[in-house]
Amino acid sequence: MTLDDLRAFVAVCEAGSLSSVARDLGCTQSAVSQRVKRLEREAGIALLERQSRGVAPTQAGRILCRAATGSLAELDLALRRLADLRQGHGGTLRITTGATTVRHFMSAAVVAFRARHPHVDLEFQTENSGRRCFEAVADGTAELAWITIGPPVRGIEQHPVLELPWVLAVRSDDPLAARDHIEPGELAGGLSGIRHIRLPENSVSRMRLDGHLGRPETGPGPAATPASSTSVADWDTAILLAELGVGHAVVPDLPGWRGAGHPALRLIPVPGLPPLAAGWAVRQWAALSPVAVEFAETVNGTLGAVNGTLETVNGTLGTVTGSLGADASVGTAASRTATRTDSGSGARSRTRRSAEVEAHGSTRAPTCAGAPGAHDTAPK
């Protein structure tokens, strides 16, 4: 039994004539008859009976025709939808991430993608933890998740795209605002008067930052993390509080916070801290729909273009930060073929294309980029 056999049989039942169906299909009446006979052999019962003016379905034929009609209609609809997905003429693309990721990382890409694919529905799902992002990808609720790259997670591929250098966010009239850079040792207790704004509890970014700042330079014993009286649920809030003079925030250098729009904010490079990687989480890159791949590559391309511009203007400090290397815990298996950029403050970011870290188990999930809460507040 084939789909073509069922289509021919349903057409005969509706037309009441083998010859008219043969003309519609562009074949011989004998070919149509053979399709019906194959169905009858498989069903083990007659499906058509001859009448004076053509043919009509038997009782068994009516049962099969009713079942096939609904199934074929649904199948045809499914095939049309698949064609739309393949050609980018329709369908829905679901991306899960944190609350402010689109603003910081995807705004230009969304505009470019929408211009090329006006009939594709873009659905952004906001999650409050990395674990929820991974669950959405794993159960098929979302095809793509933008995350802070972390340890491997079983069944999930992580594709680093961008490396975010760390900066100290302070108010422009703060005594530290005149500094051209800050050393990690100073942040860990060497500077008097610094008031740390703590990153989200249990987040990948906080875990790594505490590991770097709380690690004693010499001698045994537990690391003492910097004192703090303020904590936040996401990076944007930390930067805003620093801009308001509430405290000092060690955060990744997010696109959008530099420039004339924030005259009261100063972002001081911390070149001694290994950068934090952000990128895509998927089940299998090779199994993504064409529109999902195109959207992800559009995001990657726009981020690369922005970073390339920064490199042209502000690349003079590249040798300073370039010698520091990337943290082995942040995408060590990722491809290093990237566009390296160094901001005017000495910050470095790096775009990467389709670098894959395939998961085989982990005790901690990377963050859902931009999501506050449990696993990270990455790109917010």
Side-chain angles (χ1 to χ4, degrees), residues 5 14 18 43 52 74 100 130 152 194 206 211 227 229 244 247 277 311 324 359 370:
D5 291 344
E14 293 174 346
L18 294 170
S52 58
E74 293 177 2
T100 62
I194 191 165
R206 176 165 168 175
S229 60
L244 295 174
E311 184 179 37
L324 297 173

Side-chain angles (χ1 to χ4, degrees), residues 9 122 313 320 376:
F9 173 69
L122 284 177
V313 177
V320 176
D376 210 337

Side-chain angles (χ1 to χ4, degrees), residues 1-379:
M1 183 182 299
T2 68
L3 292 177
D4 287 340
D5 291 344
L6 285 173
R7 293 182 194 279
F9 173 69
V10 170
V12 169
C13 291
E14 293 174 346
S17 169
L18 294 170
S19 59
S20 64
V21 172
R23 287 193 299 271
D24 292 341
L25 296 179
C27 62
T28 66
Q29 181 174 327
S30 175
V32 175
S33 179
Q34 288 300 316
R35 292 189 179 280
V36 175
K37 287 179 179 178
R38 277 199 295 268
L39 292 177
E40 289 179 327
R41 284 197 299 270
E42 192 157 344
I45 192 171
L47 300 175
L48 291 178
E49 59 183 4
R50 291 195 175 275
Q51 295 183 338
S52 58
R53 303 181 65 178
V55 294
T58 63
Q59 181 182 9
R62 289 193 294 271
I63 293 173
L64 181 60
C65 183
R66 284 195 297 269
T69 299
S71 299
L72 288 172
E74 293 177 2
L75 180 61
D76 286 340
L77 178 60
L79 292 174
R80 286 195 296 273
R81 289 177 175 174
L82 291 177
D84 287 341
L85 286 176
R86 184 175 63 254
Q87 299 165 10
H89 296 326
T92 299
L93 174 58
R94 295 181 176 88
I95 304 104
T96 183
T97 188
T100 62
T101 295
V102 174
R103 179 179 67 196
H104 285 308
F105 298 94
M106 300 182 186
S107 55
V110 169
V111 173
F113 181 85
R114 171 59 68 224
R116 294 194 300 270
H117 302 288
H119 302 298
V120 174
D121 292 332
L122 284 177
E123 185 176 307
F124 293 94
Q125 304 170 348
T126 300
E127 298 292 355
N128 60 4
S129 72
R131 187 174 301 280
R132 295 294 299 272
C133 283
F134 287 118
E135 289 173 354
V137 169
D139 65 19
T141 305
E143 278 197 271
L144 296 167
W146 181 265
I147 61 164
T148 295
I149 301 298
V153 176
R154 186 176 298 279
I156 299 293
E157 295 177 7
Q158 299 178 53
H159 296 255
V161 173
L162 186 71
E163 283 187 344
L164 302 168
W166 293 90
V167 293
L168 177 67
V170 302
R171 187 173 171 83
S172 58
D173 58 4
D174 189 280
L176 295 175
R179 297 283 297 271
D180 60 357
H181 75 281
I182 298 287
E183 294 297 333
E186 296 178 291
L187 297 175
L191 287 175
S192 61
I194 191 165
R195 307 181 310 280
H196 281 278
I197 298 172
R198 298 283 281 164
L199 298 182
E201 190 75 28
N202 296 325
S203 66
V204 172
S205 55
R206 176 165 168 175
M207 173 190 70
R208 289 186 177 149
L209 187 60
D210 285 351
H212 292 305
L213 300 187
R215 186 180 299 119
E217 294 295 328
T218 59
T225 56
S228 173
S229 60
T230 307
S231 60
V232 295
D234 60 75
W235 296 344
D236 271 348
T237 303
I239 298 174
L240 176 60
L241 292 179
E243 186 178 21
L244 295 174
V246 174
H248 306 83
V250 183
V251 291
D253 192 356
L254 298 178
W257 276 102
R258 294 185 179 276
H262 300 278
L265 179 66
R266 176 83 166 91
L267 299 176
I268 307 169
V270 189
L273 292 179
L276 198 65
W280 298 109
V282 300
R283 282 190 295 184
Q284 292 183 29
W285 189 272
L288 289 176
S289 67
V291 291
V293 172
E294 182 174 348
F295 180 82
E297 291 181 345
T298 301
V299 172
N300 298 357
T302 55
L303 291 174
V306 170
N307 290 331
T309 301
L310 287 174
E311 184 179 37
T312 300
V313 177
N314 302 311
T316 56
L317 295 178
T319 55
V320 176
T321 58
S323 62
L324 297 173
D327 185 359
S329 65
V330 183
T332 51
S335 166
R336 299 291 178 175
T337 56
T339 302
R340 175 176 298 177
T341 68
D342 298 277
S343 71
S345 62
R348 179 185 64 186
S349 61
R350 185 179 296 171
T351 54
R352 306 177 182 181
R353 292 181 178 275
S354 300
E356 178 179 330
V357 179
E358 186 164 0
H360 296 289
S362 171
T363 57
R364 181 183 295 270
T367 181
C368 190
H375 287 88
D376 210 337
T377 57

